[in-house]
Amino acid sequence: KQQSGQTGLVIMLAFLFVFLFLAAQYESWSVPVAVLLSLPMACLGAFVGIAVFGIENNIYFQIGLVMLIGLAAKNAILIVEFAQEQVNEGVEVVQAAVNAGILRFRPIVMTSLTFILGMLPLVWATGPGSASRQSIGVGVFFGMLVAITVGIVLVPFFFVCIHKMKEMIKNRRAKQ
């Protein structure tokens, strides 16, 4: 009870760690933003899921939320990494984002659906300790559903927006 109300802090720390790891991986401060912009949708799906099921926001849900952020980031990374490689090879940014979305669609959907189906026993859990399993399962289940349905469309869009903003800033600095 003393630690209740810490969900915002937990989410912020998870986002910060994802950002720092991606910034180190891509050696860029701007590319990881495209990944981070897709994560709030997954979190929103998790919160809607527990609200619909009438489950409270507890420590188990928060653990599931951190896991969800990592899984949703993995999906976004698959798209962003491929798009960035194509942009580095000289492909126009919009075409690179579209290609990445198309080529990574099947692997993202297959791995995510496998994980979502693996969450069903936690969603339907009964008996002693079922509340903790349901808190994790329902949040991650609905969060991943939203992450794959909305994220597959939004991640390429965010990649293009971030890349164009980066180019616009670079052009402004070059003019000065």
Side-chain angles (χ1 to χ4, degrees), residues 28-175:
S28 168
W29 292 104
S30 60
V31 174
V33 175
V35 173
L36 288 180
L37 289 174
S38 68
L39 301 182
M41 284 293 136
C43 293
L44 179 65
F47 280 106
V48 168
I50 66 164
V52 167
F53 274 67
I55 297 172
E56 66 182 40
N57 178 355
N58 56 24
I59 188 70
Y60 298 107
F61 172 71
Q62 292 172 6
I63 291 168
L65 201 56
V66 171
M67 181 175 59
L68 173 66
I69 289 170
L71 291 166
K74 175 207 56 107
N75 290 343
I77 289 167
L78 287 173
I79 295 172
V80 168
E81 187 172 337
F82 188 78
Q84 186 64 42
E85 286 176 8
Q86 286 201 334
V87 167
N88 292 343
E89 292 172 1
V91 178
E92 196 264 325
V93 68
V94 173
Q95 187 61 44
V98 170
N99 290 346
I102 291 169
L103 291 173
R104 298 299 186 195
F105 178 78
R106 192 174 123 238
I108 288 171
V109 170
M110 295 304 287
T111 58
S112 296
L113 282 179
T114 302
F115 185 78
I116 289 168
L117 293 174
M119 286 288 110
L120 285 177
L122 294 177
V123 172
W124 294 329
T126 59
S130 64
S132 61
R133 290 186 295 249
Q134 286 176 349
S135 292
I136 293 172
V138 169
V140 174
F141 179 85
F142 283 99
M144 281 304 290
L145 278 178
V146 171
I148 65 168
T149 56
V150 177
I152 289 175
V153 175
L154 288 181
V155 171
F157 171 75
F158 290 145
F159 177 79
V160 170
C161 289
I162 295 300
H163 194 276
K164 290 196 182 237
M165 285 176 49
K166 182 178 159 184
E167 291 298 319
M168 185 175 67
I169 291 169
K170 186 189 287 186
N171 290 339
R172 278 192 186 168
R173 287 184 182 163
K175 287 180 183 180

